[in-house]
Amino acid sequence: MFNFYRENYQRLKARDPGVAVMATDTGLVREGETFFSYRGLTEDLLELGYLRFTDIANYHAYGPILPAYTAVIKRRLWTWGRDLPLWDTETGRILGAGPLTQQCLLHRVFGVDRMFLYNHEVGGFSDFFGKDDA
């Protein structure tokens, strides 16, 4: 898997050095060996240098964001000498204008640079804010 990330990153950058490459969610938000951390895969990828081959850190929240999520990811990035933009690339289960507005605000406050909400009713993702949005 690591070689896949590295090879894709290097090929994309060779073709277009200005492109931002994002590897898939590898469970940066979870620590230790849990069902969600793929039994140590995240730690193995970090030790191999995975963060050198992605320009964006990402995770999947699926529900309300917690400050602990972004704190864990930021600490892991900084431990490995990286300060990457953080995207929540799959958020779901947030229904209604009030809760959605609150979650957008909390994502921003906790350091998430971009958030994509999955809405199965419309069959896809909505990009709620990006780096250029206020």
Side-chain angles (χ1 to χ4, degrees):
M1 180 180 266
F2 171 76
N3 289 332
F4 177 77
Y5 287 139
R6 185 187 65 213
E7 187 71 24
N8 281 311
Y9 184 88
Q10 291 172 337
R11 286 177 183 252
L12 288 166
K13 289 293 188 173
R15 185 166 192 142
D16 181 356
V19 70
V21 179
M22 178 179 63
T24 188
D25 175 25
T26 58
L28 285 173
V29 73
R30 309 241 187 239
E31 293 183 289
E33 293 190 17
T34 70
F35 171 77
F36 297 103
S37 68
Y38 315 109
R39 297 197 168 109
L41 173 67
T42 303
E43 284 74 20
D44 291 343
L45 287 171
L46 289 168
E47 288 180 23
L48 288 169
Y50 152 77
L51 292 175
R52 292 179 299 163
F53 303 105
T54 187
D55 298 318
I56 300 161
N58 72 95
Y59 73 105
H60 303 164
Y62 277 98
I65 186 172
L66 300 173
Y69 290 171
T70 55
V72 166
I73 295 171
K74 296 279 185 180
R75 183 175 40 75
R76 290 179 113 179
L77 294 173
W78 297 335
T79 296
W80 293 97
R82 297 297 306 239
D83 188 15
L84 301 172
L86 177 57
W87 291 9
D88 178 353
T89 51
E90 286 188 35
T91 298
R93 301 188 195 119
I94 302 172
L95 304 174
L100 180 57
T101 302
Q102 180 184 33
Q103 286 305 304
C104 284
L105 174 65
L106 290 175
H107 273 71
R108 261 307 193 223
V109 168
F110 297 147
V112 176
D113 299 296
R114 202 160 191 153
M115 173 182 138
F116 296 84
L117 177 78
Y118 182 77
N119 183 339
H120 68 280
E121 293 175 1
V122 297
F125 286 93
S126 298
D127 177 7
F128 277 93
F129 56 80
K131 65 180 181 177
D132 299 326
D133 296 331

